Amino acid sequence: MSELYVMKYVSPIGEIEIQGTNEAVYSIMFSNRNELLTRAIEEVPIQVLAECAIQLDEYFKGEGFEFTFPYAFEGTDFQQKVWNALVSVGYGKTTAYKDIALAIGNEKAIRAVGSANGKNKLSIVIPCHRIIGSNQKLTGYAGGLWRKEWLLQHEKRCLRP
């Protein structure tokens, strides 16, 4: 892998650390700070990271509904199958872990899907926040359940005409 760069992006729900190379973004993770912040994106000379920050900014403003910057994920074949399936869950929609297990052709792998979901390092872009329990309740999210709820509500608000 090429040299890894880091950029901070401050979202309405906390600081996000973006990591990547000149070629692709590899990680978009919330920092441990829980307070709400409102600063603009920082200037960074790495084009891929800057484009990621711009698209995250559009997402948080309710103007961006998909991500087109280059990204890459590293994981097992199973994890990559799960993460690819997560991308098919549309903006403002939710689905259950069981549905993802069915989508990847392994209906008994519900817990393994949950585990792979939790190892996703591309928060928001690979929309693990859109996966809920079969009972329609919110379940685990690495960024905290309050952020998962915020993201889902944000997407629903932005879809309304």
Side-chain angles (χ1 to χ4, degrees):
M1 183 186 318
S2 302
E3 188 169 349
L4 197 62
Y5 299 96
V6 177
M7 175 182 182
K8 303 285 187 202
Y9 169 79
V10 181
S11 79
I13 53 174
E15 188 175 81
I16 296 173
E17 185 176 276
I18 304 166
Q19 293 184 11
T21 64
N22 283 317
E23 293 82 34
V25 171
Y26 285 84
S27 176
I28 303 168
M29 300 292 288
F30 286 99
S31 298
N32 290 331
R33 294 167 28 175
N34 288 333
E35 67 270 16
L36 298 178
L37 304 167
T38 56
R39 274 191 308 150
I41 50 181
E42 297 175 5
E43 295 291 338
V44 169
I46 307 304
Q47 182 62 37
V48 171
L49 300 187
E51 185 59 33
C52 173
I54 289 166
Q55 290 182 30
L56 283 171
D57 207 45
E58 291 169 351
Y59 170 87
F60 282 110
K61 289 178 179 176
E63 299 166 355
F65 304 100
E66 60 184 50
F67 297 95
T68 58
F69 62 85
Y71 60 83
F73 36 71
E74 298 174 323
T76 66
D77 289 343
F78 179 82
Q79 289 169 337
Q80 291 188 32
K81 270 188 189 179
V82 170
W83 299 333
N84 280 317
L86 294 178
V87 175
S88 70
V89 181
Y91 185 95
K93 309 272 190 230
T94 59
T95 195
Y97 293 97
K98 181 179 182 178
D99 297 326
I100 297 296
L102 288 168
I104 64 168
N106 193 343
E107 68 179 287
K108 294 185 179 186
I110 297 168
R111 287 182 186 227
V113 164
S115 177
N117 200 42
K119 290 180 173 65
N120 170 30
K121 290 187 178 180
L122 291 165
S123 297
I124 302 169
V125 175
I126 306 297
C128 54
H129 63 279
R130 297 180 189 150
I131 312 306
I132 59 175
S134 294
N135 61 1
Q136 303 297 304
K137 298 211 182 223
L138 298 185
T139 57
Y141 184 65
L145 283 180
W146 72 273
R147 283 191 177 112
K148 183 173 189 167
E149 182 174 15
W150 191 96
L151 292 167
L152 292 173
Q153 292 302 318
H154 170 69
E155 290 180 4
K156 286 180 184 169
R157 278 191 309 272
C158 293
L159 279 179
R160 292 194 178 146

